[in-house]
Each structure stands twice: as structure tokens, then as C-alpha cells.
Amino acid sequence: MAQAPLLPSAHTRTFCALAADLGYPSRGYKLHTGGCASDMKDVTPVAGSNGLNNNLAFYAMGDINKPEKLKRVSLILNINNPKEQTKAQAELSRVAIGVARKIIGKEPADLDAVIRNSSSKKWISGKWSIEIKTTKWPTGKGQDTTVHFRPSK
């Protein structure tokens, strides 16, 4: 069911609890950083060759000069163990869809497919710009996928 979208003009702290019910509570709004973040959470049980598990975190960041002005809401997935990539991407998709429903009031078309295919895409939905970007690491041992929700210009 669609819900009313959040306004990009809302204070950054308004966005800090968006992922709490999805398992990613933030540590609270910090004026000195102009934002909030969850802890990095392991989303798969087996570490990669670098000794780290695949992990995911939630962020809401304000503009550095006007911290009350939202710059972006982000989810960042680090794939440290490519053998467990599918499971990690499923978790990112679940959380991104949940956050999107709160921010824009619906699930963006293609969001799940773009994440699961390790693709990149930008699109506008109402007053929001959504960007998914997957970057393969130069080491060849993993990748990161970011999902950003930004006020559209």
C-alpha cells in the first residue's frame, strides 16, 4: 500500500529513524556531522578473504553548511564475500524498498532488479532523485552498492 511521501524539505533528523523497523536503527542525529548513521551490520555469515562479512549500513546526511537541510539518505552495501553476494543483495533490496516506500510513498520500478543485477541507474520519482550505483573494487575481491535518495533539483 502506498503512503504519503516525505518532503525533502523536512529536517535531516526526520529521516534518522527510517530504517529502524527494518533492522537498521541509527545512533541518532548528530549536529556536528549534520546527520545520522546505523552501525554496519553483517548481512551474511561467512567472511570474505579480507576477513570481513558482507555488511550494510543506513545514513541520513545533511548539507555540511546547513545540517538541517537534507542532502541524501543512503544505504551502502559492501560485498566482501562474493560467494554470498545474492543473499546480501536480497537484504539491500528489502531495506531499500522499505525506505523507498517511506520516502517516496511507493516502491520505485526496477529498484529490486537494478540491485540484484549489480547495475547502476538514476531516476526521478516525485520530489526525489534515486540513484543506485555498483562499483567493483580494483582488487577484484568485492564491490559496493550504494542506494541514494536525494531531493530532486
Side-chain angles (χ1 to χ4, degrees):
M1 175 193 294
Q3 65 182 50
L6 289 172
L7 294 176
S9 58
H11 193 290
T12 302
R13 81 169 68 88
T14 304
F15 299 88
C16 289
L18 283 181
D21 65 335
L22 300 167
Y24 297 84
S26 83
R27 296 182 302 266
Y29 178 77
K30 309 288 187 222
L31 182 59
H32 68 279
T33 63
C36 56
S38 71
D39 291 328
M40 294 295 293
K41 181 177 176 180
D42 290 345
V43 296
T44 56
V46 180
S49 62
N50 63 2
L52 299 172
N53 294 56
N54 297 333
N55 54 60
L56 177 63
F58 165 86
Y59 302 87
M61 299 306 299
D63 184 286
I64 195 72
N65 297 315
K66 292 183 177 181
E68 69 280 359
K69 182 180 177 189
L70 181 72
K71 187 172 182 180
R72 70 180 171 271
V73 172
S74 303
L75 295 162
I76 301 177
L77 173 68
N78 294 303
I79 300 291
N80 295 294
N81 181 352
K83 292 178 182 174
E84 294 192 325
Q85 179 174 323
T86 301
K87 184 175 179 182
Q89 287 171 322
E91 176 65 358
L92 173 59
S93 182
R94 181 188 74 81
V95 178
I97 289 168
V99 169
R101 287 180 178 151
K102 294 174 186 177
I103 290 179
I104 64 173
K106 62 182 179 181
E107 178 182 337
D110 297 336
L111 185 130
D112 180 64
V114 172
I115 290 171
R116 291 178 187 261
N117 291 326
S118 298
S119 301
S120 297
K121 182 178 179 177
K122 290 182 184 180
W123 63 104
I124 302 289
S125 182
K127 296 182 179 193
W128 293 93
S129 170
I130 304 159
E131 178 181 15
I132 300 173
K133 184 175 181 183
T134 298
T135 305
K136 305 269 186 212
W137 297 340
T139 61
K141 295 184 178 183
Q143 68 184 38
D144 59 73
T145 300
T146 58
V147 179
H148 295 297
F149 300 88
R150 294 181 180 102
S152 60
K153 306 228 184 263

